[in-house]
Amino acid sequence: MDTFVTTLNIVLPSFLLILLGLLLRLAGVLDQPGCDKMNTFCFHVLVPTMVFYNIYTADVASLTDPRLLLFCLASVTGAFLLLMLLVPRLVKDRSRVGVVIQGVFRSSFVVLGMGLASSMYPGRDMSIIAIASTVVAPLFNAYAVVALEVFSQQRPDPGKIVRDVVRNPLIIASVLALALLLAGVRFPAVIDTTIKNISGTATTVSLIILGGGLTFQGIGSYKKELAVATAGKLVLLPMLFLPLAVWMGFREMELLCLLILFASPSTVTASIMARNTPGADWQLASQIVVFSTCLSVVSLFGFIYVLLGMGLL
């Protein structure tokens, strides 16, 4: 029973914020255009500030063990290549293939990850997740561009891929924070406090806006694709990589970081990228975000419950 209650206390705070956003939209306090603008604000300002602050204030010693970063690099790359081979055999509509691939390997690593980590380890250093994002975010963006363009009947443009990665706000924030951290540069207290205050709002606002943007239209025409994407994202991918992570000795915060990487739902950014890729079915991308977010309440609860019961988290 203690494990059950502990798991509830970890999972529910984040998803109650998502539910609050949904209820606010149903009540008319939020609307879709407003949520779209706030998503842009979160993506370009709040979340990068959070990533920047967590890396900027990290313990430099956390950079000395590259195993976690190498595991993230290898596992995300392996998942992407596997999906590029398998998904075209399961999904025949080319406009949907890249969207499903992106929906499975890409996750809400930073936003939902920080929320879950804070609930599970209150007061603990979150720099592991922030630093892991310096590897994960470029991979997510680069591989998503490749998948969407390959299967939207366009030729992948290496220059566009590089530009999208370099311009990504999370990458810019990560690189700048790492440079300042390694150089030992520190801001005056007033600037440091301002950055900290902005960072502290990122998870709460992002999760509320995520809930406010959830819609359930057009489900019927995407049944097969949604089944493939949600099963792959929430069950198959974590069941493939988490046992390997445990075997390699990852525990507690590191293992939670990998759990979030593999088992958290698809990110709103996936829908935005699909919308901006001609020939890609962006409406399917939006539905994958909706369904993976709703169903991850159950799947994440199950994984965390089992790992807690085994004494691994």
Side-chain angles (χ1 to χ4, degrees):
M1 181 59 72
D2 288 342
T3 303
F4 181 83
V5 173
T6 300
T7 307
L8 280 179
N9 289 334
I10 294 168
V11 173
L12 281 185
S14 295
F15 288 100
L16 287 176
L17 289 174
I18 295 174
L19 177 60
L20 174 61
L22 178 60
L23 294 175
L24 288 174
R25 196 194 78 228
L26 294 175
V29 177
L30 297 175
D31 59 16
Q32 195 63 49
C35 287
D36 290 342
K37 291 181 180 179
M38 284 301 298
N39 268 320
T40 302
F41 175 65
C42 291
F43 180 69
H44 285 90
V45 179
L46 295 186
V47 176
T49 302
M50 178 177 64
V51 170
F52 175 90
Y53 187 76
N54 279 284
I55 296 176
Y56 168 73
T57 58
D59 180 0
V60 179
S62 62
L63 301 173
T64 59
D65 185 1
R67 287 195 324 132
L68 180 65
L69 300 184
L70 291 174
F71 190 88
C72 290
L73 172 63
S75 58
V76 172
T77 300
F80 169 72
L81 294 175
L82 183 63
L83 290 166
M84 289 289 282
L85 291 174
L86 294 180
V87 173
R89 300 175 184 271
L90 300 173
V91 178
K92 300 306 178 184
D93 187 334
R94 286 185 64 86
S95 69
R96 300 178 180 182
V97 174
V99 172
V100 171
I101 292 172
Q102 178 190 218
V104 175
F105 81 80
R106 195 172 190 176
S107 62
S108 301
F109 181 71
V110 178
V111 174
L112 191 58
M114 290 295 184
L116 288 175
S118 298
S119 296
M120 184 158 191
Y121 299 111
R124 287 275 294 272
D125 182 13
M126 299 287 114
S127 60
I128 288 178
I129 295 176
I131 291 171
S133 71
T134 63
V135 171
V136 171
L139 292 180
F140 279 172
N141 284 280
Y143 292 159
V145 171
V146 172
L148 291 171
E149 293 198 359
V150 165
F151 293 104
S152 62
Q153 301 179 348
Q154 299 183 57
R155 295 182 61 184
D157 180 355
K160 183 178 185 299
I161 294 173
V162 172
R163 288 193 299 272
D164 285 346
V165 171
V166 171
R167 294 172 181 173
N168 186 283
L170 298 180
I171 306 305
I172 296 172
S174 300
V175 171
L176 180 59
L178 273 174
L180 294 175
L181 174 65
L182 295 175
V185 175
R186 284 293 176 264
F187 294 126
V190 63
I191 297 178
D192 189 87
T193 301
T194 301
I195 296 173
K196 180 181 179 181
N197 290 339
I198 296 172
S199 170
T201 67
T203 297
T204 300
V205 175
S206 297
L207 291 175
I208 291 174
I209 297 303
L210 173 60
L214 296 181
T215 59
F216 299 88
Q217 299 174 352
I219 297 171
S221 60
Y222 296 126
K223 288 181 180 178
K224 180 179 180 180
E225 291 82 1
L226 287 173
V228 171
T230 53
K233 168 77 268 177
L234 302 180
V235 180
L236 299 180
L237 209 62
M239 288 186 69
L240 178 63
F241 287 109
L242 285 178
L244 181 59
V246 171
W247 177 76
M248 292 184 64
F250 293 112
R251 299 291 185 272
E252 295 188 348
M253 183 69 82
E254 290 183 332
L255 185 58
L256 180 63
C257 176
L258 295 174
L259 171 64
I260 295 162
L261 174 62
F262 302 128
S264 64
S266 184
T267 174
V268 175
T269 311
S271 176
I272 296 172
M273 288 190 66
R275 188 188 289 261
N276 290 309
T277 303
D281 192 333
W282 64 268
Q283 292 177 316
L284 171 60
S286 298
Q287 291 305 317
I288 292 174
V289 174
V290 171
F291 272 80
S292 62
T293 299
C294 295
L295 295 176
S296 65
V297 179
V298 177
S299 60
L300 276 172
F301 179 92
F303 281 116
I304 293 174
Y305 182 84
V306 170
L307 293 174
L308 279 173
M310 296 174 66
L312 299 173
L313 288 179

